Amino acid sequence: MNLMNNKVTERISVFLKKCGIPDMFLVRFAGLYFIVSGINLILAKSDDQNAVTMWKEFIADSSFTANMLWVALGFVLLSVFHYFTEKKFHIADALTLFSGVLLFSLSLMWRNDNYYLCIGVAAVAVVFISYLMGKINHDRFEKLPSWAAGAIVFTTAAVVTIFVSVTTIAKHRCFGTSCFDFGIFVQMFHSMAEDLTAVTSCERDKLLSHFYVHASYIYYALVPFYALFPNENTLFIAQAILSMGGVIPLFLLAKKHKYEGLSLVAACMIYIFYSGLVAPCYYDFHENAFLPTILMWLLYAMDQRKLVLFYLMSVLVCIVKEDAPLYVICIALFFLFDEKTVKRFHGVIITCLAVVYFILITNWLTEYGDGQMMTSSRLGDLTTDPEAGFGGIVKNVLVNPSYFFSLFVQEQTLLFFLQTMIPLLFLPFMTKKIHRFMLIIPYVIMNLVIGAGYRYAADIGYQYIFGPSCLLIYMAILNCKDMERERRNTLATVSAVVSMITVFSLVSGRISHFENYRDKKDYYRNLEACLDTVPRDAAVISNTWFLPHIADRKEVYIFDKNDFVKEGEDTYTALKDMDRYDFYVLSRRDENTNLAIPYLEEAGYTVFNETENFIVIYVSPDYQFAE
């Protein structure tokens, strides 16, 4: 009897083992559970039901029995598949858990910008993906050919580029962009396409080259494209392409550092879905968007010791902005300590050239341009005398380093620190090679230190994180490479998943811009048509939200409280410089409009065009229309 029982037990054990039980039991069950839960979330969101804020209604509309039956059915099917297939096909369970965790996490965070919930969801994903990576055969996943990995990576990058382009363009078409920081660049590129001067009038309320404000000569690289397609949308598309363009050198870098198959794809996915490269695209348009592509090529050139490319990319980085030489200095110093041959001398040369350019350009801006104002606004917490320039700031830091260190992480920058480091699993800090921390200096200075007083620098939604993101990702790739294979693959994969979850939380809600424009297309087109009636040769003063749509002209100015003659705290007696403007383009929803209309009508301005309850355009009695 005992012998018979043993044989039955043995047969059952063999049968279960061929079905992948108990070895893959938890992987299979958890994967199916997450898939069913993810599908339920998708169905609920299609009915505008939020499973978190409307959790009681969600439970009432869900069937526990049905959910468990679906899980059980899937479990049986996967068990049968496992039983009848060869070992090389036994990746179905791993794919089920991986796709299940992704489906559930991304469905939950879709259009849900609760970052603290995002951290919780990411923590759950980390646990299950880490467990899964310990169960799989890493050799099998590394056999994915490079061409296939490249196809996955570049297709994904293209999808993200299209999503960002479409949604940022839709935001603009829905009048979601303002003079700062988009109208100034529309006017600047119009000027550059006309005569290469980069002159604006709306940026400082006078005709002035933008290069007296920022030394962003890299903009000339976009002029040929803007001249071919002279439209605001060109800038949004260019920015999306530039932010994702760095994935090409990153792919090459990861391959050179022996990332293969799944880990190669994962390393690139970290970049593609890194919130510091996607979220800033939604704050209109900036020169910093050039940094991801150029910096990644610079890092590739430095890493692979391609010296000609190293010098070329260093020059291009320097002309992105007056503070961009800091990236070159830090990368060149890293190269100096990392390289053990005579080539390290090039690190000295590039460092010296970048320092000299940085000093010259900041001094020039301070003396002839707007550098003093920019220094006081960005680095006000580190300066006692704005006229002392950057040299004064360096002196203050050296005299009182304790205050400088106190600015690294404050309460207002802590959330930003988590948003930038959690997707990377804090990998930039996981190294014993001290010289690698040279690469984290721009992040510390440009984001954490400056962000302590200038809050935009420590906000994931602004352009100041574009450049530091690239260096942080490169550090993560380097530090991860130094680990043994299984741990490297696990950390790269988990980091990619967390990056996806994070960017879905921060950015997926932007799809509302597209939906808004799609649903009200005729309304927004009528607004555009009204603005298009303003002659191109006219000098215009405009509400900030309308200005980007009419900035393709020589003179356009922003209309605000500064355009009134003020007596007392809240008393206005007239409009300033009325003879300066041919047209006033105003918003009925702006309180300044109601203040301005009596003065305009008293001066003989008449309504030129308007839309119901929104746009009203006044024309000067002295304006001569072209025949």
Side-chain angles (χ1 to χ4, degrees):
M1 188 69 176
N2 288 337
L3 182 61
M4 184 179 297
N5 287 338
N6 289 339
K7 287 184 178 180
V8 171
T9 301
E10 185 178 348
R11 288 179 180 177
I12 293 174
S13 178
V14 171
F15 173 77
L16 290 175
K17 189 173 182 180
K18 291 185 70 174
C19 290
I21 302 171
D23 187 44
M24 302 303 291
F25 177 84
L26 181 57
V27 171
R28 188 176 302 164
F29 177 81
L32 290 166
Y33 174 76
F34 279 121
I35 287 175
V36 171
S37 298
I39 292 172
N40 286 336
L41 284 173
I42 293 172
L43 294 175
K45 290 200 173 187
S46 66
D47 294 329
D48 295 325
Q49 188 180 73
N50 189 306
V52 177
T53 59
M54 304 170 63
W55 66 276
K56 291 182 179 180
E57 294 84 347
F58 183 85
I59 291 175
D61 293 340
S62 301
S63 170
F64 173 79
T65 303
N67 290 344
M68 291 302 102
L69 285 175
W70 281 115
V71 171
L73 176 61
F75 195 94
V76 171
L77 292 175
L78 281 176
S79 298
V80 171
F81 179 81
H82 197 283
Y83 184 90
F84 286 106
T85 55
E86 300 177 15
K87 189 174 182 179
K88 64 181 180 179
F89 295 110
H90 292 173
I91 61 172
D93 294 308
L95 293 176
T96 298
L97 179 56
F98 187 82
S99 59
V101 169
L102 268 186
L103 178 65
F104 174 77
S105 302
L106 301 184
S107 299
L108 180 55
M109 298 317 304
W110 177 256
R111 305 181 79 158
N112 191 335
D113 61 356
N114 183 339
Y115 189 69
Y116 298 103
L117 172 63
C118 176
I119 293 175
V121 173
V124 172
V126 167
V127 170
F128 280 95
I129 299 299
S130 298
Y131 172 76
L132 172 63
M133 294 301 291
K135 301 285 289 184
I136 67 172
N137 184 335
H138 287 254
D139 290 332
R140 182 174 299 170
F141 283 91
E142 288 185 349
K143 290 180 180 179
L144 182 70
S146 293
W147 67 265
I152 295 171
V153 166
F154 299 130
T155 299
T156 305
V159 170
V160 173
T161 300
I162 293 170
F163 177 87
V164 172
S165 299
V166 168
T167 49
T168 51
I169 288 172
K171 178 189 175 187
H172 172 65
R173 287 177 171 174
C174 294
F175 290 78
T177 57
S178 61
C179 177
F180 296 96
D181 286 344
F182 192 59
I184 57 175
F185 295 118
V186 174
Q187 188 183 24
M188 183 195 74
F189 271 99
H190 171 73
S191 172
M192 294 177 80
E194 290 282 324
D195 52 26
L196 300 178
T197 58
V199 169
T200 66
S201 56
C202 58
E203 188 168 12
R204 292 295 183 264
D205 203 38
K206 62 182 178 180
L207 290 172
L208 179 74
S209 171
H210 177 71
F211 299 140
Y212 281 84
V213 180
H214 291 298
S216 302
Y217 307 111
I218 192 68
Y219 278 134
Y220 282 109
L222 271 186
V223 172
F225 301 99
Y226 191 84
L228 283 173
F229 306 100
N231 188 284
E232 305 99 293
N233 299 340
T234 301
L235 302 182
F236 291 116
I237 295 170
Q239 181 165 253
I241 293 172
L242 288 167
S243 67
M244 285 293 106
V247 75
I248 299 173
L250 179 67
F251 180 83
L252 299 176
L253 266 172
K255 280 184 64 179
K256 293 290 185 180
H257 286 295
K258 308 302 180 185
Y259 284 82
E260 298 175 333
L262 177 63
S263 65
L264 176 58
V265 173
C268 295
M269 291 300 173
I270 295 171
Y271 178 96
I272 293 170
F273 291 103
Y274 190 62
S275 50
L277 296 173
V278 179
C281 291
Y282 290 92
Y283 182 52
D284 302 346
F285 178 83
H286 296 90
E287 64 281 317
N288 300 65
F290 283 88
L291 287 172
T293 295
I294 303 174
L295 270 178
M296 289 312 304
W297 277 115
L298 174 58
L299 290 167
Y300 171 79
M302 180 273 300
D303 188 279
Q304 298 303 306
R305 308 314 194 235
K306 297 182 181 296
L307 296 177
V308 174
L309 187 62
F310 192 8
Y311 278 91
L312 175 61
M313 290 301 147
S314 295
V315 171
L316 291 180
V317 169
C318 284
I319 63 173
V320 168
K321 204 173 181 181
E322 62 276 6
D323 57 6
L326 179 60
Y327 298 108
V328 177
I329 293 168
C330 293
I331 292 171
L333 288 174
F334 169 81
F335 175 83
L336 174 63
F337 289 102
D338 195 60
E339 177 59 43
K340 305 304 179 186
T341 71
V342 70
K343 289 181 180 179
R344 68 193 307 176
F345 185 65
H346 292 282
V348 177
I349 296 175
I350 293 177
T351 299
C352 292
L353 292 175
V355 169
V356 169
Y357 177 77
F358 179 67
I359 293 173
L360 291 176
I361 199 64
T362 52
N363 287 343
W364 186 88
L365 284 172
T366 300
E367 185 173 355
Y368 299 105
D370 208 21
Q372 183 175 313
M373 191 281 285
M374 300 307 294
T375 299
S376 61
S377 65
R378 304 296 193 266
L379 295 164
D381 281 5
L382 288 171
T383 183
T384 56
D385 179 11
E387 295 184 2
F390 188 77
I393 292 171
V394 173
K395 176 184 174 182
N396 294 339
V397 171
L398 294 175
V399 170
N400 189 1
S402 56
Y403 175 68
F404 176 73
F405 295 145
S406 74
L407 298 175
F408 279 18
V409 178
Q410 297 189 358
E411 184 176 351
Q412 63 264 36
T413 60
L414 182 57
L415 177 61
F416 173 79
F417 180 77
L418 294 176
Q419 288 175 326
T420 50
M421 285 299 172
I422 287 179
L424 298 177
L425 306 181
F426 298 91
L427 279 168
F429 297 103
M430 296 183 186
T431 181
K432 295 179 180 179
K433 298 179 179 179
I434 299 300
H435 69 279
R436 288 185 180 176
F437 287 100
M438 292 283 184
L439 300 176
I440 210 170
I441 291 175
Y443 173 73
V444 171
I445 294 177
M446 293 183 173
N447 299 117
L448 301 183
V449 172
I450 294 179
Y454 183 68
R455 66 181 182 84
Y456 304 108
D459 190 319
I460 199 72
Y462 288 84
Q463 72 274 16
Y464 305 100
I465 189 58
F466 268 129
S469 293
C470 299
L471 274 63
L472 293 176
I473 293 171
Y474 177 70
M475 289 181 71
I477 298 298
L478 276 188
N479 295 345
C480 206
K481 177 212 59 169
D482 292 342
M483 302 172 185
E484 52 90 18
R485 188 188 65 162
E486 283 74 16
R487 190 181 181 200
R488 178 199 66 201
N489 292 348
T490 298
L491 287 174
T493 304
V494 171
S495 180
V497 170
V498 176
S499 294
M500 293 179 70
I501 294 170
T502 303
V503 87
F504 262 61
S505 172
L506 291 171
V507 170
S508 60
R510 299 292 186 168
I511 193 70
S512 62
H513 298 311
F514 171 77
E515 294 170 341
N516 186 24
Y517 183 75
R518 178 198 62 196
D519 296 340
K520 300 179 180 180
K521 186 180 296 185
D522 291 340
Y523 169 72
Y524 289 118
R525 284 182 173 177
N526 287 337
L527 296 181
E528 290 278 8
C530 178
L531 295 175
D532 286 342
T533 60
V534 179
R536 291 289 182 89
D537 64 346
V540 177
I541 184 168
S542 171
N543 173 275
T544 186
W545 302 103
F546 301 150
L547 193 146
H549 300 264
I550 55 173
D552 51 345
R553 65 187 64 245
K554 183 178 179 180
E555 288 190 72
V556 62
Y557 303 87
I558 185 172
F559 178 71
D560 55 25
K561 281 285 195 298
N562 294 319
D563 291 293
F564 291 89
V565 176
K566 187 176 182 181
E567 289 186 4
E569 187 173 343
D570 295 310
T571 305
Y572 303 95
T573 59
L575 282 171
K576 296 179 182 177
D577 304 321
M578 295 180 66
D579 57 348
R580 185 183 186 187
Y581 315 113
D582 299 316
F583 287 83
Y584 277 75
V585 180
L586 307 176
S587 170
R588 295 281 190 187
R589 301 170 189 175
D590 183 354
E591 61 178 8
N592 294 325
T593 299
N594 294 330
L595 292 173
I597 287 178
Y599 302 124
L600 289 172
E601 293 181 346
E602 182 180 346
Y605 280 76
T606 56
V607 174
F608 171 72
N609 203 347
E610 62 182 322
T611 63
E612 186 176 356
N613 297 323
F614 198 14
I615 299 174
V616 58
I617 303 173
Y618 279 84
V619 60
S620 167
D622 299 325
Y623 180 72
Q624 300 294 319
F625 287 90
E627 296 183 0

